[in-house]
Amino acid sequence: MSRRASLWVGWIFATLVAVGVVLTWMTVGGDRKVLLAGEMTDAHHQIELACESCHAAPVFASAAAAKKALNKACRNCHEDELKDGDDSHPRKSFRNPRMAAYWEKLDARFCTSCHEEHRPEITLTGAVTVAADFCVACHSEGEQDVRKNRPSHAGLTFETCASAGCHNYHDNTALYADFLVDHADQPWLVPDPVHVLSARQRSQEPASEATLERADAMAPPDALNEQATLDHWAGSGHAAAGVNCAACHAPEVEAGAPLSDIEAAWVSAPPRTVCRDCHKVEARTFALGRHGMRQHPEVSGPRDATGSAVGDVLPEAIMAWLSDAPHPAHMTVREARVPMRGAAADQSLDCGTCHQPHAVDTKRAAVEACTSCHDDLHSRAYVGSPHHALWLAEVSGDAAAGTGVSCATCHMFKAKRRGRIVTSHNQNDGLRPNEKMIRPVCLDCHGLGFAIDALADDDLVAGNFRGRPTNHVESIEWAVRHAASADRDEDR
Amino acid sequence: MLTFTEQLVLLLNDEDGAPLPIRHDVAACALTGAVLLDLAFDYRIDTDLDALVVHDPTPTGHPVLDRLLVRIADGSEALDTRTWIEVLSAEEGTAIRDETQANLVERGVLTVRKSRIPWVRSRRYPSRDGKTATEIRAEIANVLGSDEIPDPRDVALVSLLDACEILPEIFPRQEMDDVRPRIAQLRKMELIGREVAGAIADIERLVIQAVRARAAQFQRLLLVLSSVGCVAALAILLAPSVPVGEQFGANFLVDLWFDNVWRQWSGYVLLGLSGAALLAVLLMMVRPIVRLGGYNWWRLAHVVLGIGALLAVFVHTGFRLGTHLNAALMVCFLAALIFGGLAGICSNAAGPLRRMGVSPQMRTIPMRLHILALCPLPALLIVHVLVVYLY
């Protein structure tokens, strides 16, 4: 064979091999990072290699089927959040054929109409990939023309709709007209400001008969010799609630089992899954936020190449090479896209990161755990802020429970579930847009007008609310005027 | 003994007697020059400052030479040599070739082979004994391969063949690189000036100038297009992406660069243009096809399609290089275009580059890199398309 022919043959062979390898990565298993078509949004970058979480359609599915599966994947993770947020534009409203005229303008039946992944250049805050004035699509003509419906909006342009303090597409729990009118004329600070649910949670005393003392600890002798650990446990909520060592270190052993059984089943470093057995709500909500989203049940795991069609054909070594690497179970601080402390870069995020396993000190978890990693302006400004001063007063016992404002107070909502106050561990729930925290947090202490103004003031947020808002959002005044005008029309 | 004109006609055909892919006007100019050189070597014509004059109207015995000698002698006004070359090239080029081939057939040097394909009226003129053209090529190879002082006729023929770019058809690329210094040496020998009348030197110089001027038209065009392509590809690689605007609604740029349907269309146009550019090169290796227009037209087609692909890249990406595999694809593609443009510059500005001291080996580097950058493209393109459809 001539040199030229050899080169042609070699090139064709190399091309086929390269295509074959990548095709196998796509359909069977292997590292697919090189195939990413664009940088992922901050919301999903942690799960960028769990492709099937979103691309759930079978290989070579039609475009329509792929789109349908993609949008279903969005709802699998975000539907509950939208329901909780009292979605202003629910999907079901747009599925009505009556709304067909709007589908051409902006098809709100599909999440991907506004939120496309792998489009970093056109991705705005909230992973929105349509222009900021997208409201113009439906609200600029006909019955929905806000400039006619609301005289106050006559001179406004559509890129200002989603300005802080005005409107959000999905979550408007604190921004709809009736709520604004009902909370007009509130003072900036209510008398006796206290975060009610925090106060009630902190005042919840465990049943005294269940409380365990240091001497009640049941553990192998070696473990009992760790005095500091034992002291931590004895002062923890676990001991107060009657949770003995075996509950975590020998979870398979039934309560009341003899020490010999506990010793036999003892695990020195129990997996974090034992936390989930008791703290179900906390574990579930942890997986909804960015701290724990890799543990979300809808996030796909690595593909098992051995179970594929070629699994029985190819040698084991090749199958091992083709298999997906295990997806990391936890987010690490290094991977965060917000400013973080360099010293914490290798820290991975699970229960023990914020909660010391034995001390279970929620006060530490509420502030120090956050500030030990986060290094953005808002976090750095917290120490020394008015909210921090209140927190220190509460922690020291100088102020009543619930009067302090920790990081967790604002970013980890509390809710009453089945008679018990639980803490949501989805720390993103009140962010993007930050008006989501007005009702569950801010209004316990502040008036609505002040809260809207404060959250709309980026500098004030960055400075962790040292001072007063410099701009005023006129939402409440407009809503009051509109209500008065509507009342007058009704009277006529 | 064969005349210049006869030798050139033989060399303008390949071994099968089919015409080489030499531009028609270049071949016509070279044949006119060969006729004038024949007449000059036979002391029939001479040149002075203002005109080409007939020195001796006696027929030479060669029908083509004699017909043109009569035409020059009967000229109503005195024209200078350059003008005669222009006039005769335009009006007699085809006739010189046809008549010379017919004459060689008559003399038994060539045979005629008509096309066997119905309605196709092409003719080939293969050598009857298979020797004559081969001997001429061997003689040229001998002149170029030795250090001996050659016959002035051989020097004139080599210069003419070089000007017409027929030599690369006779010698493989590697051998051409080897004989280039010898060709340059022959040009400097001024044998003609010493041993024969100055008219021959004038005619040869003017013919070569005219031939080069015709070839240079194409070269200039290819040089400009190659340079444009090279700079444009570099700009795409270095320029920031074109912003798409921030208005909702009929935003053409957003549709163009972010809508999947638009991107599919622009992608397939890009694929088509790239494939066509590649096809143009592959077809240049198929002699029967390249005869349709000659090498230069296929080279032009390749360059124009390359520039079209460059525009399609812009339409497809808007200067966005992408990430990961897409970035690799984009870099390879642009590298292929940049080095392709540089190869075009090296090929079409060979003279100036030679004078600047750029060696032939160095001039081939862009072409090698062009090919190297093209190698991974099919695999990257297939994967790119697969990713789009599988995810």
Side-chain angles (χ1 to χ4, degrees):
Chain A
M1 191 186 292
S2 70
R3 184 168 172 270
R4 176 175 286 194
S6 306
L7 285 172
W8 275 102
V9 170
W11 172 73
I12 290 169
F13 180 72
T15 299
L16 291 176
V17 168
V19 171
V21 166
V22 179
L23 192 59
T24 314
W25 284 346
M26 284 187 216
T27 55
V28 181
D31 189 354
R32 289 178 287 181
K33 195 167 177 69
V34 292
L35 305 179
L36 283 172
E39 193 178 314
M40 302 280 284
T41 60
D42 294 351
H44 295 143
H45 77 102
Q46 289 185 49
I47 55 168
E48 65 183 6
L49 293 182
C51 309
E52 284 73 25
S53 306
C54 302
H55 299 281
V59 173
F60 296 117
S62 67
K67 185 177 177 182
K68 198 174 170 185
L70 199 63
N71 281 273
K72 185 164 187 316
C74 303
R75 297 196 300 276
N76 285 344
C77 292
H78 297 285
E79 195 155 39
D80 289 344
E81 187 187 352
L82 290 171
K83 271 184 199 160
D84 291 345
D86 194 16
D87 190 2
S88 316
H89 295 83
R91 177 171 166 266
K92 64 181 179 190
S93 301
F94 293 92
R95 295 180 73 194
N96 189 328
R98 202 164 50 81
M99 304 296 282
Y102 293 99
W103 296 347
E104 283 296 311
K105 298 171 180 172
L106 186 66
D107 197 344
R109 297 172 300 167
F110 298 100
C111 310
T112 50
S113 298
C114 297
H115 303 280
E116 276 196 273
E117 260 301 350
H118 308 288
R119 300 271 193 268
E121 187 184 335
I122 55 168
T123 301
L124 307 175
T125 306
V128 174
T129 48
V130 288
D133 63 339
F134 64 89
C135 305
V136 73
C138 303
H139 293 283
S140 60
E141 58 187 26
E143 293 174 5
Q144 296 291 328
D145 191 342
V146 291
R147 292 167 302 190
K148 287 181 185 166
N149 296 341
R150 301 289 175 99
S152 56
H153 290 49
L156 300 179
T157 52
F158 282 93
E159 68 268 16
T160 62
C161 302
S163 298
C166 292
H167 300 282
N168 298 315
Y169 182 87
H170 291 299
D171 185 283
N172 289 300
T173 48
L175 296 179
Y176 59 94
D178 289 347
F179 189 81
L180 294 173
V181 172
D182 289 346
H183 292 77
D185 300 326
Q186 284 186 323
W188 80 277
L189 189 67
V190 301
D192 301 324
V194 62
H195 190 242
V196 179
L197 291 178
S198 292
R200 285 171 63 183
Q201 189 186 43
R202 282 171 204 145
S203 61
Q204 279 176 345
E205 292 291 335
S208 57
E209 65 272 15
T211 302
L212 298 173
E213 300 294 332
R214 195 173 188 283
D216 297 325
M218 282 186 73
D222 290 350
L224 290 176
N225 286 336
E226 293 177 23
Q227 297 301 322
T229 304
L230 211 53
D231 289 342
H232 278 147
W233 169 78
S236 74
H238 277 161
V243 179
N244 213 320
C245 311
C248 300
H249 289 279
E252 304 302 321
V253 175
E254 288 186 15
L259 182 60
S260 57
D261 287 0
I262 292 171
E263 285 180 330
W266 189 261
V267 179
S268 300
R272 302 303 176 200
T273 49
V274 298
C275 307
R276 287 185 217 160
D277 292 343
C278 299
H279 300 280
K280 288 186 170 59
V281 174
E282 288 78 3
R284 186 177 62 76
T285 52
F286 180 67
L288 296 173
R290 291 191 193 165
H291 283 170
M293 67 186 294
R294 281 180 173 163
Q295 294 168 23
H296 194 287
E298 295 292 344
V299 172
S300 64
R303 294 166 298 170
D304 180 14
T306 53
S308 67
V310 295
D312 299 331
V313 182
L314 296 176
E316 202 172 316
I318 293 179
M319 291 314 298
W321 177 68
L322 281 177
S323 294
D324 284 354
H327 292 171
H330 305 293
M331 163 79 165
T332 61
V333 171
R334 189 188 303 284
E335 294 171 276
R337 287 185 174 175
V338 291
M340 305 299 276
R341 293 187 189 279
D346 295 326
Q347 187 80 262
S348 69
L349 285 157
D350 62 7
C351 309
T353 311
C354 303
H355 301 280
Q356 289 168 310
H358 292 98
V360 200
D361 181 1
T362 53
K363 293 184 180 65
R364 179 193 170 275
V367 174
E368 284 85 357
C370 311
T371 54
S372 66
C373 293
H374 285 272
D375 200 26
D376 55 281
L377 291 175
H378 177 77
S379 301
R380 277 196 268 167
Y382 173 74
V383 176
S385 70
H387 283 163
H388 183 233
L390 291 168
W391 172 249
L392 291 178
E394 183 188 336
V395 170
S396 64
D398 294 339
T403 54
V405 183
S406 67
C407 306
T409 307
C410 299
H411 296 289
M412 300 174 82
F413 301 161
K414 291 186 168 36
K416 196 173 178 185
R417 296 269 165 88
R418 295 175 189 166
R420 182 171 156 251
I421 309 296
V422 293
T423 303
S424 166
H425 279 56
N426 174 6
Q427 82 299 331
N428 290 106
D429 210 7
L431 299 172
R432 296 185 184 88
N434 61 11
E435 293 96 348
K436 285 165 81 175
M437 67 172 68
I438 290 177
R439 282 185 78 162
V441 181
C442 305
L443 291 190
D444 273 1
C445 304
H446 297 284
L448 178 62
F450 175 82
I452 290 175
D453 289 348
L455 291 171
D457 188 332
D458 289 341
D459 291 337
L460 193 65
V461 172
N464 214 304
F465 308 105
R466 295 171 190 234
R468 304 289 291 270
T470 51
N471 293 317
H472 177 54
V473 180
E474 294 182 274
S475 305
I476 294 177
E477 286 88 338
W478 289 4
V480 169
R481 279 206 296 272
H482 178 69
S485 155
D487 287 345
R488 279 198 301 276
D489 290 347
E490 210 170 280
D491 291 344
R492 276 192 213 117
Chain B
M1 185 180 170
L2 293 173
T3 62
F4 263 132
T5 313
E6 289 163 342
Q7 285 179 315
L8 190 60
V9 164
L10 288 171
L11 291 173
L12 283 170
N13 292 341
D14 65 12
E15 292 84 350
D16 294 330
L20 290 173
I22 307 293
R23 274 180 57 195
H24 173 76
D25 56 341
V26 173
C29 191
L31 286 166
T32 304
V35 168
L36 296 180
L37 283 171
D38 274 325
L39 293 174
F41 270 107
D42 284 346
Y43 299 101
R44 296 298 192 275
I45 58 174
D46 198 356
T47 58
D48 61 22
L49 287 176
D50 301 320
L52 178 76
V53 292
V54 175
H55 180 73
D56 176 4
T58 313
T60 60
H62 295 281
V64 177
L65 300 185
D66 291 342
R67 188 171 64 76
L68 291 179
L69 182 64
V70 170
R71 179 169 176 180
I72 295 167
D74 291 347
S76 55
E77 55 184 327
L79 300 176
D80 63 11
T81 311
R82 189 189 303 273
T83 309
W84 271 116
I85 291 169
E86 296 289 337
V87 170
L88 294 177
S89 296
E91 296 175 7
E92 300 284 355
T94 307
I96 293 170
R97 188 168 190 164
D98 291 346
E99 288 173 25
T100 306
Q101 282 178 152
N103 189 25
L104 289 169
V105 171
E106 218 169 84
R107 285 160 55 193
V109 177
L110 298 177
T111 59
V112 187
R113 192 189 299 158
K114 293 180 181 174
S115 171
R116 293 173 189 166
I117 305 169
W119 302 295
V120 175
R121 301 175 65 186
S122 73
R123 289 183 175 193
R124 293 187 177 196
Y125 293 91
S127 183
R128 184 179 291 274
D129 54 7
K131 284 182 182 174
T132 315
T134 310
E135 284 170 0
I136 298 169
R137 289 191 184 94
E139 178 59 27
I140 293 166
N142 186 40
V143 170
L144 294 176
S146 72
D147 292 331
E148 292 173 11
I149 297 173
D151 183 90
R153 295 178 67 93
D154 291 339
V155 175
L157 184 61
V158 166
S159 300
L160 210 52
L161 294 174
D162 182 42
C164 301
E165 295 190 346
I166 297 173
L167 286 176
E169 292 295 327
I170 301 173
F171 296 101
R173 181 187 292 271
Q174 186 59 44
E175 288 183 30
M176 269 308 295
D177 290 340
D178 295 339
V179 299
R180 286 228 175 268
R182 172 67 171 165
I183 295 171
Q185 184 191 32
L186 291 178
R187 280 214 205 104
K188 293 174 186 169
M189 280 187 169
E190 297 181 357
L191 293 169
I192 293 171
R194 277 187 219 151
E195 299 185 17
V196 295
I200 293 171
D202 283 347
I203 291 167
E204 187 198 351
R205 178 174 52 79
L206 291 169
V207 166
I208 288 171
Q209 276 179 7
V211 169
R212 285 195 189 285
R214 279 163 171 74
Q217 287 172 0
F218 239 101
Q219 281 192 334
R220 271 197 296 275
L221 181 63
L222 287 171
L223 182 63
V224 169
L225 290 176
S226 300
S227 306
V228 167
C230 185
V231 170
L234 208 58
I236 289 182
L237 190 65
L238 301 175
S241 57
V242 178
V244 291
E246 295 171 353
Q247 297 293 313
F248 183 84
N251 190 329
F252 173 70
L253 295 181
V254 171
D255 288 342
L256 189 63
W257 290 321
F258 294 99
D259 182 84
N260 287 336
V261 175
W262 279 80
R263 280 170 68 85
Q264 276 186 62
W265 277 106
S266 61
Y268 281 120
V269 168
L270 170 58
L271 188 65
L273 286 169
S274 309
L278 180 66
L279 193 66
V281 172
L282 294 177
L283 290 177
M284 280 165 72
M285 298 175 188
V286 184
R287 184 156 284 175
I289 292 176
V290 87
R291 280 191 197 107
L292 302 169
Y295 272 123
N296 280 330
W297 284 107
W298 286 96
R299 284 169 67 194
L300 181 67
H302 178 65
V303 174
V304 169
L305 287 167
I307 290 176
L310 200 59
L311 290 172
V313 168
F314 172 72
V315 172
H316 191 56
T317 66
F319 296 154
R320 287 162 182 81
L321 294 184
T323 59
H324 302 103
L325 190 125
N326 287 350
L329 172 61
M330 193 69 170
V331 168
C332 273
F333 199 88
L334 292 176
L337 290 170
I338 290 167
F339 289 122
L342 285 174
I345 292 169
C346 286
S347 166
N348 295 295
L353 288 173
R354 198 183 302 125
R355 285 191 289 279
M356 288 162 65
V358 181
S359 69
Q361 286 75 20
M362 281 181 72
R363 292 202 301 273
T364 63
I365 289 174
M367 178 57 77
R368 289 171 195 274
L369 293 174
H370 176 60
I371 293 167
L372 196 66
L374 284 169
C375 285
L377 270 186
L380 289 168
L381 272 170
I382 292 169
V383 171
H384 175 72
V385 174
L386 281 174
V387 168
V388 169
Y389 286 106
L390 286 181
Y391 292 101

